[in-house]
Amino acid sequence: MNTDLQDFSHKRFNILTGEWVLVSPHRAKRPWQGQNEAVSNEVRPAYDPSCYLCAGNTRINGEVNPDYKDVFVFTNDFAALQTDSKTFSVNNGLFKAESEQGICKVICFSPDHSKSLADMAVEEINKVVTTWQKEYVELGSNDTINYVQIFENKGAVMGCSNPHPHGQIWSQSTLPNEILKKEKEQKEYYAKNKRSLLGDYLQQEIEANERIIYTNEDFIVLTPFWAVWPFEVMIVPKKQYNNISQISNTESLAFADAISVITKAYDKLFNTSFPYSSGIHQAPTNGKDNSHWHWHMSFYPPLLRSATVKKFMVGYEMFGSPQRDITAEQAATRLRDLI
């Protein structure tokens, strides 16, 4: 291991976005006198009659949820994107705007209000994975949809408005900013090397064996070299697939296993139901040649030192570039030791 990276301030390059992150390992020793988050020790019931997402309950729009037994998907009652949005554009000097259409869905992972992915069996998580696959294909086949974003916000600190285990799928007519960055970097690398950018990166990570947290037959779980969030994690298929629909039934189960392992490790880290935002980045559904894409799932958790101390993206991060204290290698070691 390069000891300079563990002792001295430096920048690390994100190969997927073309951006830098400042790393300051010496700052991890500084005393903390800032905000401490409240930790909820509430034990949630398996069913909450006041929850809009529980089976059989009435949602705010008056619709009644079915008595679902595993995964339940519905169109978001408060969708950020409209399917019937008027087509228009504004091009007035430096004032530019374009209309955007899309479909937003909510996916309930389980009817059990008390659970999170960390509490679910691998077979139960696999049902979530196969639903993600189905939704990616169905939404992507819509002529007006060119990108499908699957994500989850877990925990009140991440702005999650309902503790019931659920995620969301936003699909839209254009490619969002983060996808445009990854589209550019992966396409340029593939054109030059005729190989997947992430595929080559995985080989280098395997050789270094410093940031890998867990592996199974088909997936690698690691803290990326350029990680921004304290305990950031990426799950990557060993084989290059452009999107999640291309993995086999066996690989789907292996993906569910990887999700299960890392979410359980998260909960053990600070002995709390670990908050995070997670999301899958995969090829657009724009009908173009997307052979340069290598899909992956990222977890961005905010907790830094304990269940009550979080990482804030403020000051330098807002006006300069992202910055972290604990190194990616230290974070990976701590998570690996919990598995």
Side-chain angles (χ1 to χ4, degrees):
M1 183 180 293
N2 187 326
T3 56
D4 288 346
L5 295 178
Q6 308 307 314
D7 297 326
F8 301 103
S9 59
H10 60 278
K11 296 192 302 182
R12 298 195 186 192
F13 186 67
N14 185 332
I15 59 172
L16 284 171
T17 64
E19 298 172 335
W20 293 87
V21 54
L22 176 64
V23 184
S24 314
H26 55 288
R27 275 170 51 91
K29 301 173 185 177
R30 77 189 195 279
W32 181 261
Q33 293 181 309
Q35 177 173 321
N36 285 276
E37 299 293 327
V39 177
S40 173
N41 294 316
E42 174 192 11
V43 178
R44 300 200 309 271
Y47 169 74
D48 182 349
S50 66
C51 172
Y52 292 122
L53 301 183
C54 278
N57 287 0
T58 302
R59 300 204 304 274
I60 194 69
N61 67 348
E63 291 189 26
V64 178
N65 297 329
D67 187 22
Y68 64 95
K69 301 302 180 184
D70 39 57
V71 182
F72 169 50
V73 182
F74 63 92
T75 300
N76 198 320
D77 300 324
F78 299 96
L81 293 158
Q82 302 165 303
T83 56
D84 56 352
S85 178
K86 176 184 175 183
T87 301
F88 66 91
S89 64
V90 175
N91 195 352
N92 180 12
L94 298 179
F95 300 153
K96 295 185 179 181
E98 294 180 358
S99 57
E100 184 77 355
Q101 292 183 327
I103 302 169
C104 296
K105 293 190 174 184
V106 175
I107 170 171
C108 296
F109 300 153
S110 167
D112 192 328
H113 185 81
S114 68
K115 288 187 174 181
S116 69
L117 288 174
D119 304 311
M120 294 167 59
V122 170
E123 292 76 16
E124 292 176 310
I125 298 174
N126 190 45
K127 292 180 180 179
V128 176
V129 172
T130 56
T131 302
W132 285 340
Q133 292 176 298
K134 176 175 175 289
E135 291 295 329
Y136 174 84
V137 172
E138 289 186 0
L139 289 166
S141 65
N142 188 315
D143 291 339
T144 65
I145 299 300
N146 289 301
Y147 188 71
V148 178
Q149 181 60 63
I150 297 167
F151 66 97
E152 178 195 3
N153 293 321
K154 181 194 173 193
V157 71
M158 301 308 298
C160 184
S161 60
N162 190 313
H164 193 100
H166 75 284
Q168 298 186 57
I169 305 174
W170 290 15
S171 57
Q172 60 190 100
S173 54
T174 64
L175 274 57
N177 294 342
E178 292 302 304
I179 299 308
L180 287 171
K181 296 173 192 175
K182 293 189 176 185
E183 165 74 12
K184 175 180 178 294
E185 298 300 326
Q186 290 184 102
K187 191 170 187 177
E188 288 180 357
Y189 189 91
Y190 193 84
K192 180 180 179 180
N193 300 283
K194 300 298 182 285
R195 296 189 307 273
S196 152
L197 173 61
L198 273 184
D200 283 0
Y201 169 69
L202 283 186
Q203 289 306 308
Q204 193 168 342
E205 283 286 16
I206 291 170
E207 292 170 9
N209 196 28
E210 293 175 348
R211 288 164 294 274
I212 293 176
I213 300 167
Y214 175 74
T215 63
N216 59 29
E217 190 70 24
D218 302 298
F219 286 84
I220 292 180
V221 182
L222 55 82
T223 299
F225 180 77
W226 55 83
V228 169
W229 295 95
F231 294 95
E232 182 175 328
V233 161
M234 185 163 62
I235 301 176
V236 191
K238 293 179 180 179
K239 295 180 183 176
Q240 184 200 354
Y241 293 113
N242 309 141
N243 64 72
I244 193 175
S245 74
Q246 296 172 333
I247 61 175
S248 67
N249 292 338
T250 301
E251 290 165 326
S252 171
L253 199 60
F255 181 33
D257 169 64
I259 293 172
S260 176
V261 167
I262 192 55
T263 53
K264 281 180 169 59
Y266 274 156
D267 281 6
K268 291 178 183 178
L269 184 61
F270 296 134
N271 295 314
T272 190
S273 184
F274 208 75
Y276 58 74
S277 281
S278 67
I280 297 173
H281 278 169
Q282 53 192 324
T285 56
N286 52 12
K288 297 182 180 180
D289 179 8
N290 291 306
S291 54
H292 51 283
W293 265 90
H294 192 147
W295 78 265
H296 50 283
M297 183 178 192
S298 294
F299 289 79
Y300 300 155
L303 297 187
L304 176 60
R305 298 186 178 202
S306 69
T308 64
V309 178
K310 66 171 284 191
K311 163 73 176 177
F312 289 92
M313 288 292 181
V314 295
Y316 182 84
E317 288 95 346
M318 285 184 171
F319 298 101
S321 69
Q323 181 271 340
R324 65 179 288 129
D325 296 344
I326 178 176
T327 66
E329 295 75 29
Q330 292 166 346
T333 298
R334 289 183 65 179
L335 289 170
R336 185 169 55 244
D337 289 345
L338 294 170
I339 297 174

